[in-house]
Amino acid sequence: MQIIKKIGVFDSGVGGLTVLKSLIEEIGFEHIVYYGDTARVPYGNKDTQTIIKFSLEALEFFEKCDIDLLVVACNTASAHALKAMQAQSKIPVIGVIESGINALVQKKIPKDSNILVIATQATVTSGNYERCLIDMGYNNITSIATNLFVSLVEERIFNGNVVNTVFKYYFPAELKPQVIILGCTHFPLLIDALRNHFGKETIFVHSGEAIATFLQQKFNIKPNNANLVEFFASDNTKKLKATAKEWLQEGSYKIFNINQTFL
Ligand code: DGL
């Protein structure tokens, strides 16, 4: 099996940095190319054809980067465009949905557990998480599109009155999930607030952690703590750099380059 040394991480914007963080902290790579389509984010309120078009353009960009494997960190792109990307790619393209479901199995979550999937509107509408969960024998599933969570995180509002009001807006009082699948790149940053709302015993599935485990199980990866990250954004590279500084552990990675791509 080929040794994976250089990977690409694709997201609709800055949210995929939560996945990048897990890949750096839990595995470590020689070289990582991160591309966020910040000019066209959010993908979560777009329709399938648009999400496929943007994701295939991202794939075209990554083709020039000489990577060994591409991680689609964006749940919305994973839900709608993964098959189209895989069909056109010469290298493995891995989405976050299969690995998220795999994490449930690994955590030995009982099949009758009350599972809540929270994601963007487009991810929920795709029905992808539900289908995969049902295929694995889980049958007690509630899916809620919580698009406003993306804006909260982008505004750095992680707790407090605004967050509690938004939670009340989306979550009926009787909702008592045992497991929450964080089906969006941004949602891990709301985990403390979600835990306060639903209780300490709630089990969370985080796309970044799940995909790190999945890659280690399925691919021949030689961990390397160089973590030279080359960042690309289709708009506002300054915001991407500032967010990386805020969300990623200082010293865990080195910025190799920050570039703007032109659509
Ligand atoms: N990255 C997207 C996801 O994980 C959230 C932001 C967007 O809507 O593009 O679904």
Side-chain angles (χ1 to χ4, degrees), residues 100-121:
I101 309 295
N102 187 52
L104 278 190
V105 177
Q106 304 256 302
K107 287 177 197 256
K108 298 199 169 33
I109 305 290
K111 297 285 156 120
D112 60 351
S113 301
N114 192 339
I115 300 173
L116 171 64
V117 179
I118 49 175
T120 63
Q121 184 63 60

Side-chain angles (χ1 to χ4, degrees), residues 6 25 46 63 65 100 186 191 211 257-258:
K6 182 175 177 184
E25 290 176 5
K46 303 211 164 41
E63 270 161 9
C65 298
H186 291 62
I191 205 164
I211 201 143
N257 219 337
I258 298 212

Side-chain angles (χ1 to χ4, degrees), residues 10-16 18-19 34 37 40-46 72-79 96 119-123 147 150-151 154 182-187 207:
F10 163 52
D11 185 48
S12 56
V14 299
T18 60
V19 174
Y34 181 97
D37 190 5
R40 303 189 290 197
V41 68
Y43 283 13
N45 58 8
K46 303 211 164 41
V72 181
C74 179
N75 282 260
T76 306
S78 296
V96 281
T120 63
Q121 184 63 60
T123 300
N147 277 10
V150 173
S151 310
E154 296 262 333
L182 302 166
C184 173
T185 47
H186 291 62
F187 297 179
S207 297

